[in-house]
Every structure is written in structure tokens, then in C-alpha cells.
Amino acid sequence: MEKQTFQAPSHEPARVCGGCSRMEMEAADGRGGRRTMGLAAALAAAVVLAACARACHGMTDSQDTSVLRALVDQWQNAPPTWGQSDDPCGDSPWEGVTCANNKVISIKLSTMGIKGLLAADIGQLSDLQSLDLSFNKDLSGVLTPNIGSLRQLTTLILAGCSFHGTIPDELGSLPKLSYMALNSNQFSGKIPASLGNLSSLYWFDIADNQLSGPLPISTSGGMGLDKLLKTKHFHFNKNQLSGPIPDALFSPEMTLIHLIFDGNKFTGSIPDSLGLVSTLEVVRLDRNSLSGPVPSNLKNLTKVNELNLANNQLTGTLPDLTGMDALNYVDLSNNTFDPSPCPAWFWRLPQLSALIIQSGRLYGTVPPRLFSDAQLNQVILDDNALNGTLDMGRSISSELSLVSFKDNEFSSFIVTSSYSGTLALAGNPVCELEQLPNAAYCNLTQRAASAPYSTSLVKCFSGPCPAGQSLSPQSCACAYPYQGVMYFRAPFFRDVGNGTAFQALESMLWTKLALTPGSVFLQDPFFNSDSYMEVQVKLFPSGGSAYFNRSEVIRIGFDLSNQTFKPPKEFGPYYFIASPYPFPESRSPSKSKGVIIGIAVGCGVLLVALAAAAVYAFVQRRRAQKAKAELGGPFGTYPREHVAASCPYV
């Protein structure tokens, strides 16, 4: 047989087969074998190290993990999953923590019952966008200035906690902050002027604290609240803020819809510039010490639904509100306006549902047309000098439920039998007549025309529930509801027995909060001393469960604290304060020594595998070297082409 030769290309070793001995083949392929085994060992090492690193150290950024552990060190009652694993965003994530690209971007822990302090380390979460710690009543201490380092933060919700001390100036260093709810805490001191830097701020709620001092405005190029042109909500009510409301605070460029300043210590006059903010829908300046006349341009605010200037020291003529056709609620009580008859705007505002002017120095007769407005629900004109005959006319609005003229000067009244609401005339001369002293109209205390609304449980026939549980209107089973109080700061109506309105609220709650239809219970709405409507709310778990899990509570708490849930429009702006939730005792133990030992053993096994792969590669390399050495006699010094010629390629 004729021998054939094959010359390998210069960049490859010669391939020898057929008649070559095994030793010759090993010698020829030694370098390729070493490369193959080296690559296998490297791949094995990479796989082993990656697996071990994930098992032992996790994937969340190490600094972020350290910060979360620092938070846990300051807290009692942290969620049970916090600290169970070494990786907050790994296969067993920590509840309420969200990550992206191994960095913590969100912490939501509403209504978890956390006790303790907010560690200063929070400022090291460089990618944090949302922080919600609402409704943890025992979360206290001062708010660390380090929070100003969270340059990616868009949402900060600390509502319903117990933080005290001053609001740090550093909060003004958060360029992306759009939602800030610090309400219902114990913050004191002044509002930092630096907050005027928050050019993206949409929601600004610092209500129900102990803040004092004047409202900061920009002067000589400085910062102030007048710079917040994109902010739609100024909720500063129930503090101790003082001094005049600066005229420079308002401008036509502002986009405010809610100006809620009630329950402070403001003095001076209402600034004329307020009439320039055409976007306003709610204006509450009541329960202050404001004086002087009401600006005449206030009637330019044609989008306002509620105007409350009660309980101040305002003077001059009763304001003319003609043209404010969106007004639902007006309260001008307890000021010192000049004496005046009932103005025509009383019955010319098409949407007016509540007209309240107590101690307003009104006199003269009351035109019957006042009571025929289709939307009118309540008329409260107590402690004035209205006189003559109170004639409510024959065309009384079907919505009218309360008419109160206590402590006026009516000598008689005319009312048709079609009116079934409450009429209060105590303190009028008509009640001094012999035949009327004991009439219902003349009683100082009267029952409302309709009882406060409560969700019906008529279909449920179960007995009383165990302590802490309530009856679900949907399943008629006892369960632990998520509950709290909704505070409506400017509702468009005043009838707490309005079943249509409250049933719409129920439906919207279970729909928007992704609950089972019918799983919402509302109870005992009433108007408190702040003129806010309080409603007790209970939300029930679905599927026959007795409890919400922690993830569900976190979600619901965030939706209510972040205003993700919007009630029907007639309820106006609200805030919610949750009660502590009675979570069952956690059955998930924290990471035990056994788990840690198991991880360590797993890493050990992987390392042994890595060592075995390395030994195998080393042995194969030595075999190849030995084969090459043994070929040194007959072939070792031969030129490559001779070896190729002597080994036919088949």
C-alpha cells in the first residue's frame, strides 16, 4: 500500500494517527490536552466560586445589606424575614424591600408595629427611591440629617409615627422628592426655608405636628415656600405656625389645589395674592387669628369647592362670593363682620350644599328661595339677628336634612309637611309661646334626621366574635381586619347618614385596594371639633382567611398613605391613620446555626470538587510530559516532517 503523508498547517501541531503508537499520539497531542484540561479547570473554578459566593454572601450590594442590618439593630418587631437570609433581595427576600441591579431602591414597611429609631445609616442607600414607614406609632427619635444624602428619593412617608425634633434642613437637598408626608408626628421648630429647593414636590403634608414660627419665603435670592410652583398640596394644618401669611407666598404661577392652614396661630390679614392662585379647590384658613377684611378678589377662585374662614377675627363686610359656582361648602362663622342682611349669593350658588355662618351678625328676613336649591343639605345660621317669620316655602330641596336658626329673633315659622329633616329654633321668641316650649323644634338637643351610616350586617346571623376580631360583611365570618380612621378634611357634604355616598366609598375601597367585593365595613362617621369628617374603616382578608399577611398589609398601608387610593370626589382630601395590626406569631425562625452550617458544608463540598478538578488536570499534564520524554530516543530529535511522514493519516 502506498503511504500517504499529511502536513498540518504551520499554526497547528501535526495530527498523527493510524500506525502511530499510543505514546506517540500522547506526545503529539500533549499541548492540546494541556489547553483542554486547563480550560476545564478554569471553568470549574468559576462555577464553583460563583455558586459558593452566592450561597455564602448573597447578591445584594454589601453596603446596602449592611445598612438594612443597621436598621434591624435599632428596631424591635421588624418583619420576621429581616435577617433570615444574607441576601435581602435574593431567593428569600426581606419583606418590604425591593432591589434593582443589586441595589435597594424601595423600603415599604407600613403598619408593621416597628419600635425604635431610624438609624443614620439610612443615608447610605444611594439608590433608594421610596421610603414608607407610615403607621408605626412607636417608631420615634429625631429624623437624621443623613436622609439628605438620598439623592434618588422620590417618596418619603413617615405619617403616623412619633418622630420629634426639627425637620432637618438637609431634606431640601433631595432634587427628585415629589411626595413628602410627615404628618401626625411630633416635629417641632420652624419649617426649613431649604424646602423651597424641592422643585419636584407635588404633595407637602406636615399637618398635625408642633411646628411653630413664620412661613419661610425667599428674600434676597434665598429659598422659601414661594418657590414651590409645582406643589399642589400645602397641608400645614393643626400646628402652631404664627405670624402673617406672607403676600409673597402666592403667585399666579403656582398650581396649588389644596391650601389647608386651619388650626394654627396665623395673624394679620388674608393676603390679596391668594386670589391669584386660580387652581385652588380647597381653602381652609379657619381657627386662626386672622383679621381685617376678606380680599374682594377671592371670588376669582371659581374652582374652589370649600371655603372655610371660620373662627378668626375678620372684619368689614361679609364677603361677596358671587361667581364661585363650584362652592359646595361655606363657613364664615365666628368673625366680626359688619351687620348685613342675607346676601343674594346664599341662593345663587348652584352647587352649595352647606351654608354655615354662626355669629355672623346677619339680620332681617330669610327669603324662602334659600331652601329650594337642589343641592342644599344643611343651613346653619345660629346666633344671628334674623327675624320675622321663618317661611321655608313650598318647594323645599329633597336633599335638605338640617336647618338650624338657634338664638335668632324669629317670632313665627311656616314649614310644609313635606320637610322631614331637622329644624332647630331653640332660643327664638317663637319658642317662648305657651304652646311650643316642648315642641321638637325648640329642644336644645335634637336627634339628627338620619342616623350615622354603618355598613349593613343584616345578612349575618353569627354570634359575637372573639376579642380583636370583627364580623366580615362579605363572608359573615370572624377575622382580624386591617382598620383605622379616614379623616376627610373638606368633604362636599355634611349628611353623615348619606347611604349613597358611603356605599360609593365602600365600593371604591375594595376595588382600588384589590379586595374581595363586600369586604369593607364603615362605621360611625361624624364631624369632629376640627370640622373633619371621621370614618371608622375595617378592611377584611379574602378567601376565608382570618389574617392579612404582611405583604398585603404593606401594600394596603402604602396605597392609603401614598394617596394611591382616591375616594369619590365628594369626599375631598383625606388622610388615613391605621391601627396596629395583630399579626399572628411568626412561625418562620431566623437563620439557625444549622442553616449556617449547611451553607458552610455546601461550600466545602464545592471546594473539594474544585481541588479534584485541579488534581486531575495536573495528572494529565504530567502524563503528557512523560510521554514526550519517552519519545526522545527514536523520534524526539526528528524534524516534525519526519514524524508526520512515518505516521500515515487515515
Side-chain angles (χ1 to χ4, degrees):
M1 180 185 302
E2 181 181 357
K3 289 187 178 181
Q4 299 179 12
T5 61
F6 172 77
Q7 178 66 50
S10 60
H11 62 276
E12 291 184 353
R15 297 185 61 184
V16 290
C17 309
C20 296
S21 69
R22 177 180 177 185
M23 188 176 297
E24 292 169 343
M25 292 171 63
E26 288 178 349
D29 288 343
R31 286 187 297 273
R34 286 195 297 274
R35 289 195 185 101
T36 302
M37 299 314 300
L39 180 59
L43 290 173
V47 171
V48 170
L49 290 175
C52 190
R54 179 172 178 81
C56 297
H57 301 293
M59 295 298 292
T60 306
D61 179 83
S62 59
Q63 176 173 289
D64 287 8
T65 301
S66 297
V67 172
L68 297 186
R69 292 196 177 280
L71 295 179
V72 174
D73 290 342
Q74 297 286 334
W75 290 347
Q76 300 177 41
N77 295 346
T81 54
W82 278 54
Q84 275 192 352
S85 68
D86 290 310
D87 189 357
C89 289
D91 295 332
S92 299
W94 297 8
E95 284 166 318
V97 178
T98 304
C99 294
N101 299 320
N102 301 333
K103 299 286 288 182
V104 175
I105 62 169
S106 175
I107 299 175
K108 296 178 181 177
L109 295 174
S110 178
T111 331
M112 291 291 101
I114 295 170
K115 299 180 180 181
L117 309 174
L118 181 60
D121 304 67
I122 191 76
Q124 298 179 37
L125 295 176
S126 57
D127 285 35
L128 191 66
Q129 299 172 21
S130 179
L131 178 62
D132 177 14
L133 301 175
S134 59
F135 316 143
N136 290 291
K137 187 63 178 176
D138 294 315
L139 186 60
S140 60
V142 298
L143 183 58
T144 173
N146 291 355
I147 205 163
S149 300
L150 302 176
R151 297 306 180 90
Q152 302 303 314
L153 198 67
T154 62
T155 302
L156 175 62
I157 308 176
L158 304 178
C161 297
S162 293
F163 289 101
H164 61 262
T166 58
I167 297 174
D169 287 332
E170 288 78 4
L171 271 183
S173 302
L174 304 178
K176 297 184 179 181
L177 193 64
S178 62
Y179 193 96
M180 180 172 65
L182 306 180
N183 56 295
S184 305
N185 280 277
Q186 299 168 22
F187 288 112
S188 58
K190 297 180 179 180
I191 300 174
S194 63
L195 299 185
N197 282 314
L198 302 177
S199 58
S200 299
L201 195 63
Y202 167 86
W203 184 275
F204 188 0
D205 196 338
I206 51 176
D208 195 14
N209 280 287
Q210 300 167 18
L211 297 169
S212 59
L215 297 175
I217 59 170
S218 61
T219 56
S220 303
M223 273 295 113
L225 304 185
D226 53 305
K227 297 290 188 180
L228 299 178
L229 301 182
K230 294 183 180 179
T231 306
K232 294 187 179 296
H233 302 265
F234 275 0
H235 296 174
F236 298 176
N237 49 301
K238 298 185 69 175
N239 279 287
Q240 300 172 28
L241 299 169
S242 61
I245 300 174
D247 191 70
L249 178 62
F250 305 111
S251 67
E253 292 77 26
M254 297 190 88
T255 56
L256 278 176
I257 60 173
H258 293 165
L259 179 69
I260 305 181
F261 282 4
D262 59 282
N264 282 286
K265 298 180 178 180
F266 290 120
T267 57
S269 60
I270 299 173
D272 290 339
S273 59
L274 179 61
L276 303 177
V277 188
S278 60
T279 52
L280 279 168
E281 296 177 5
V282 172
V283 177
R284 287 203 61 171
L285 301 176
D286 49 302
R287 295 181 297 119
N288 282 284
S289 296
L290 298 169
S291 58
V294 176
S296 60
N297 68 349
L298 213 62
K299 64 181 180 181
N300 294 337
L301 304 179
T302 56
K303 295 181 180 179
V304 168
N305 305 123
E306 172 160 340
L307 176 64
N308 194 333
L309 307 179
N311 300 295
N312 282 288
Q313 300 167 18
L314 299 171
T315 58
T317 59
L318 195 73
D320 181 7
L321 306 183
T322 302
M324 299 182 71
D325 290 348
L327 270 176
N328 293 97
Y329 176 89
V330 176
D331 192 345
L332 304 176
S333 301
N334 299 311
N335 286 287
T336 52
F337 295 119
D338 297 337
S340 68
C342 294
W345 61 261
F346 275 18
W347 52 87
R348 289 179 178 171
L349 297 179
Q351 301 299 321
L352 192 64
S353 63
L355 173 63
I356 306 173
I357 307 179
Q358 302 180 84
S359 300
R361 307 183 77 181
L362 297 169
Y363 67 85
T365 59
V366 178
R369 71 187 81 175
L370 170 62
F371 306 102
S372 62
D373 286 350
Q375 303 295 324
L376 195 63
N377 177 255
Q378 293 188 1
V379 176
I380 303 176
L381 300 178
D382 299 337
D383 195 22
N384 285 287
L386 299 167
N387 56 29
T389 298
L390 174 62
D391 183 358
M392 295 179 61
R394 299 180 180 180
S395 178
I396 298 176
S397 169
S398 60
E399 297 294 323
L400 192 60
S401 65
L402 173 63
V403 175
S404 182
F405 285 98
K406 291 184 291 188
D407 297 315
N408 277 278
E409 299 177 6
F410 292 113
S411 57
S412 61
F413 70 93
I414 300 172
V415 60
T416 68
S417 58
S418 63
Y419 177 64
S420 58
T422 298
L423 175 61
L425 295 175
N428 281 271
V430 68
C431 287
E432 297 175 5
L433 300 175
E434 284 188 13
Q435 67 270 31
L436 290 177
N438 296 319
Y441 306 132
C442 296
N443 289 337
L444 289 174
T445 57
Q446 298 183 12
R447 295 172 59 182
S450 57
Y453 177 83
S454 285
T455 303
S456 176
L457 294 173
V458 67
K459 70 175 185 178
C460 299
F461 301 98
S462 303
C465 291
Q469 298 187 43
S470 298
L471 201 63
S472 168
Q474 185 270 329
S475 65
C476 293
C478 293
Y480 293 92
Y482 181 86
Q483 59 185 316
V485 178
M486 296 188 83
Y487 296 85
F488 297 98
R489 293 186 260 208
F492 298 179
F493 65 98
R494 287 300 184 271
D495 182 6
V496 294
N498 188 333
T500 301
F502 289 108
Q503 287 164 12
L505 177 60
E506 288 172 356
S507 177
M508 196 161 288
L509 278 166
W510 75 58
T511 300
K512 299 299 183 181
L513 297 178
L515 303 173
T516 302
S519 60
V520 175
F521 183 83
L522 304 180
Q523 186 177 24
D524 297 333
F526 71 97
F527 281 88
N528 63 22
S529 59
D530 301 320
S531 292
Y532 305 158
M533 184 167 64
E534 293 188 28
V535 183
Q536 300 285 332
V537 179
K538 295 182 180 181
L539 310 175
F540 288 86
S542 59
S545 175
Y547 291 93
F548 285 106
N549 62 41
R550 287 183 180 267
S551 296
E552 291 171 325
V553 168
I554 288 171
R555 177 183 61 80
I556 294 171
F558 178 78
D559 285 351
L560 291 170
S561 64
N562 189 49
Q563 302 285 313
T564 303
F565 168 76
K566 297 294 185 186
K569 185 174 177 61
E570 61 264 31
F571 283 87
Y574 81 97
Y575 68 98
F576 178 81
I577 299 294
S579 302
Y581 192 76
F583 293 106
E585 292 185 1
S586 174
R587 298 180 181 178
S588 301
S590 60
K591 185 184 290 183
S592 65
K593 291 182 179 179
V595 174
I596 296 173
I597 292 173
I599 292 175
V601 169
C603 288
V605 171
L606 292 172
L607 289 172
V608 168
L610 173 61
V615 169
Y616 178 75
F618 177 75
V619 169
Q620 290 298 97
R621 180 179 180 186
R622 291 298 300 271
R623 289 180 62 188
Q625 289 175 341
K626 182 178 179 181
K628 180 178 180 180
E630 292 178 354
L631 285 171
F635 297 104
T637 58
Y638 282 16
R640 179 186 297 266
E641 59 272 17
H642 291 175
V643 174
S646 63
C647 296
Y649 179 77
V650 179

